[in-house]
Amino acid sequence: MLNEVQSPGAADHAEDHAPGEHVRVAIVGSGFSGLAMGAALRDAGIEDFAILERADDLGGTWRDNTYPGCACDVPSLLYSYSFAQNPGWSRSFSPQPEIWAYLREFAERRGLVARIRFGHEVLRSAWDEDESRWRVETAGGTLTADVLVSATGGLSEPSVPALAGLESFTGPTFHSARWDHDHDLAGERVAVIGTGASAIQFVPQIQPRAAQVHLFQRTAPWVVPRRDRALSDLEHRLYARVPWLQSAMRGAIFWGRETFALGLMHPRIMRAQQRLVIGHLHRQVPDPALRAKLTPDYVMGCKRILVSDDYYPSLRRDNVEVVTDGIAEVRPRSILTTDGTEREVDAIIFGTGFQVTEMPAARRIVGRDGRSLGEVWDGSARAYKGSAVAGFPNLFLLTGPNTGSGHNSIVFFIESQVRYVMGALRAMDERGAGVVEVRPEAQAAYNREIDARMPGTVWSAGGCRSWYLDRTGRNSTLWPGFSYPFRRRTRRFDPERYTLRARRPAVAREAVGA
Ligand code: NAP
């Protein structure tokens, strides 16, 4: 049961649109951001929308990541909608099935499920200048939309490295975000590649079942204590009866985490905190040789800071080997490392992350001049307030460029952006505008400001190479600094930074044969 804030009657009916129809708003994706957008539209009385979802269920990353041990590393009181709090979280860091169930319950209660077109992977969306609308081709049919909201998430396309000889491997291989639950790892020799946020969660889970785990580590992560705990019955009852208390706790967690931004912006502060964190490694890994392998050689926060209490202990087990030599080649039943060692393995699991800065989805959105977002960005994404891109009228991005957070909850950014997009829709209504497009100079100035704040941060000066940086070396993923200024800056839609104009008149469209 969620404690929700919503407009009366918003959940009471649902409408569906047959493929080929026109909708006012098409939302792509039904994860945290797509569902928040749908709920906001309904709250505003806008019923003319559809949510396009490629899979056969909703939930985005929380549907796709089902690997053993998958849980959120941001506390659940914060990693949830502020307007639909769940007093029943079982733990401070809730496991994936619970977060997925939360999203499903939210979608049900808000009457969003009937709005989702499952199996509608978007193949291409192109702006039709004559009609002033988006033409969206999906695996389930084509529709047109006045406004397109891309809510596809940054962590949706798995990245699997092109290792030499990988195709020759005869055993099973799978990525953490596409876990093969039909394959039993019991008694097997398992190679795990990668030591990021996902791997540190599933390695302790598979270690007791596998005969041997070879963990291929390219860069040692910084790992801080998790201190997860079960929430008590008393907490559940209090949160259910006194929702403001849960909001207050949420606020306390938010502001507590905001302080981490100081270290991210000023590596000197982070270095001081590192000394405390290294104690966690010393306490959990007494063996100096293993500890040396696990000691990061860059400033904490340069890559995502990981939280775990069971990762290091699992690496101390006899059946786990941390391999720090690079992978030279994969052979039919083994992996050869650059030092010439060959390890026989039965299965390979990739915990190698996602295609964040080169999202395939960006190649499928084609703007006014016929070029895709991917082409325009050319490996380095830029938007205005992470939400709008010049040359792409009536397109809004959720979790767009520079809206990620190294220290706080992405849901905070999502809610900020949804509010901003709703402001844009209102401005269009108020001004009778059918088309809204950010001014290129506003976008350029905004990105100059963001870029100017990056040098000297831990991501630029921390001595590592992370997925936060794109192929040009620019940090195009994270919001630099405290999170609350992003909320302040997106609180109000700023029409002066946009061109708002009427749709081309129907007569004119007919005259040109449209
Ligand atoms: P990730 O953090 O990008 O980690 C990928 C790992 O694979 C890194 O250790 C990387 O090494 C390694 N790797 C990549 N290519 C490699 C190659 N060719 N050879 C050897 N190693 C290679 O991916 P992830 O663990 O899936 O996490 C991605 C993001 O998802 C996280 O940062 C986080 O934002 C999110 N996430 C969140 C949670 C949560 O609890 N909320 C849980 C899981 C994931 P290098 O470090 O050397 O690049």
Side-chain angles (χ1 to χ4, degrees):
M1 178 72 183
L2 310 183
N3 278 330
E4 290 191 66
V5 181
Q6 68 178 95
S7 302
D12 56 12
H13 83 283
E15 233 175 66
D16 200 7
H17 295 270
E21 283 185 4
H22 177 78
V23 290
R24 180 170 178 199
V25 184
I27 302 168
V28 187
S30 65
F32 254 103
S33 54
L35 295 177
M37 189 72 229
L41 289 172
R42 297 209 71 201
D43 282 354
I46 300 174
E47 298 290 346
D48 187 14
F49 70 93
I51 303 177
L52 307 173
E53 170 54 60
R54 65 180 171 185
D56 57 5
D57 207 334
L58 60 87
T61 194
W62 296 104
R63 172 202 61 221
D64 290 342
N65 283 272
T66 60
Y67 59 77
C70 183
C72 191
D73 58 12
V74 176
S76 297
L77 290 189
L78 183 58
Y79 194 92
S80 45
Y81 299 125
S82 62
F83 52 85
Q85 299 198 54
N86 171 19
W89 292 119
S90 66
R91 308 192 64 80
S92 40
F93 295 93
S94 296
Q96 170 265 337
E98 223 176 291
I99 302 171
W100 190 20
Y102 165 81
L103 287 176
R104 288 150 71 119
E105 186 185 344
F106 175 79
E108 280 290 347
R109 292 169 59 83
R110 291 295 181 112
L112 294 172
V113 179
R115 301 313 186 82
I116 305 176
R117 297 196 191 162
F118 296 106
H120 278 56
E121 176 170 2
V122 173
L123 308 172
R124 187 172 190 271
S125 309
W127 174 251
D128 183 333
E129 181 69 1
D130 291 332
E131 295 287 332
S132 302
R133 53 176 53 164
W134 285 92
R135 186 181 165 79
V136 188
E137 292 164 28
T138 82
T142 299
L143 74 159
T144 53
D146 291 339
V147 171
L148 183 66
V149 178
S150 173
T152 50
L155 303 169
S156 46
E157 291 296 335
S159 166
V160 174
L163 300 174
L166 181 58
E167 66 294 340
S168 71
F169 188 69
T170 54
T173 64
F174 53 89
H175 187 276
S176 55
R178 302 286 183 269
W179 196 270
D180 181 357
H181 291 279
D182 293 333
H183 183 78
D184 188 358
L185 297 167
E188 293 203 333
R189 298 160 298 181
V190 183
V192 173
I193 302 178
T195 52
S198 303
I200 68 140
Q201 292 184 333
F202 69 74
V203 165
Q205 301 294 317
I206 65 169
Q207 172 273 321
R209 288 187 69 71
Q212 175 72 40
V213 175
H214 299 289
L215 177 60
F216 292 84
Q217 172 190 276
R218 191 164 66 179
T219 314
W222 279 98
V223 183
V224 302
R226 183 174 177 84
R227 300 205 180 93
D228 186 21
R229 66 174 182 88
L231 297 187
S232 67
D233 287 348
L234 177 64
E235 284 168 293
H236 290 146
R237 282 202 303 275
L238 275 174
Y239 291 156
R241 286 187 200 150
V242 195
W244 65 260
L245 192 63
Q246 187 166 6
S247 300
M249 281 303 293
R250 177 190 180 94
I253 296 169
F254 173 84
W255 288 108
R257 292 182 77 94
E258 275 295 74
T259 61
F260 299 160
L262 280 173
L264 297 171
M265 300 308 286
H266 305 287
R268 253 183 330 146
I269 297 175
M270 193 58 100
R271 280 199 190 89
Q273 290 172 331
Q274 263 176 222
R275 287 191 212 112
L276 303 174
V277 174
I278 206 82
H280 180 56
L281 173 62
H282 277 253
R283 275 189 301 280
Q284 292 203 321
V285 184
D287 171 16
L290 178 58
R291 202 165 62 225
K293 285 185 183 178
L294 299 175
T295 304
D297 60 359
Y298 56 91
V299 184
M300 185 164 76
C302 184
K303 287 171 185 279
R304 189 175 171 87
I305 302 170
L306 309 185
V307 292
S308 177
D309 292 329
D310 57 2
Y311 175 61
Y312 287 147
S314 74
L315 305 186
R316 290 167 51 193
R317 309 308 292 241
D318 290 341
N319 65 339
V320 179
E321 179 199 18
V322 178
V323 183
T324 52
D325 296 299
I327 295 171
E329 189 190 341
V330 179
R331 294 179 173 172
R333 302 230 42 104
S334 63
I335 293 183
L336 180 74
T337 43
T338 48
D339 63 336
T341 308
E342 186 172 2
R343 291 172 179 82
E344 292 209 352
V345 297
D346 301 305
I348 301 177
I349 305 175
F350 291 100
T352 42
F354 299 88
Q355 302 174 46
V356 184
T357 55
E358 310 266 352
M359 286 182 65
R363 302 247 158 222
R364 298 181 177 188
I365 301 178
V366 179
R368 193 158 33 77
D369 71 357
R371 288 192 304 155
S372 72
L373 259 187
E375 286 170 301
V376 169
W377 283 343
D378 194 21
S380 197
R382 286 177 170 83
Y384 178 64
K385 299 190 175 177
S387 308
V389 183
F392 293 78
N394 292 11
L395 170 70
F396 293 100
L397 309 174
L398 300 179
T399 69
N402 295 107
T403 60
S405 173
H407 68 285
N408 223 319
S409 172
I410 187 70
V411 182
F412 177 83
F413 285 82
I414 289 170
E415 288 186 15
S416 307
Q417 286 196 283
V418 166
R419 181 187 178 125
Y420 185 73
V421 176
M422 292 307 298
L425 297 182
R426 263 195 312 278
M428 290 171 81
D429 281 348
E430 285 162 10
R431 292 162 188 245
V435 182
V436 60
E437 183 179 342
V438 69
R439 296 177 186 275
E441 62 276 16
Q443 180 179 316
Y446 179 81
N447 281 277
R448 271 197 303 278
E449 183 207 326
I450 295 284
D451 290 349
R453 287 161 61 186
M454 292 297 180
T457 64
V458 74
W459 310 298
S460 306
C464 86
R465 164 101 216 157
S466 72
W467 61 257
Y468 300 150
L469 308 182
D470 57 39
R471 73 169 124 102
T472 71
R474 219 180 122 246
N475 188 337
S476 51
T477 54
L478 292 188
W479 169 255
F482 295 104
S483 314
Y484 68 89
F486 185 79
R487 171 67 54 94
R488 189 165 33 74
R489 294 182 71 164
T490 49
R491 190 173 291 281
R492 188 185 67 84
F493 179 68
D494 37 4
E496 64 281 7
R497 301 277 185 262
Y498 288 78
T499 307
L500 285 113
R501 60 177 167 86
R503 292 182 65 198
R504 293 182 67 178
V507 207
R509 293 204 303 271
E510 276 157 24
V512 293

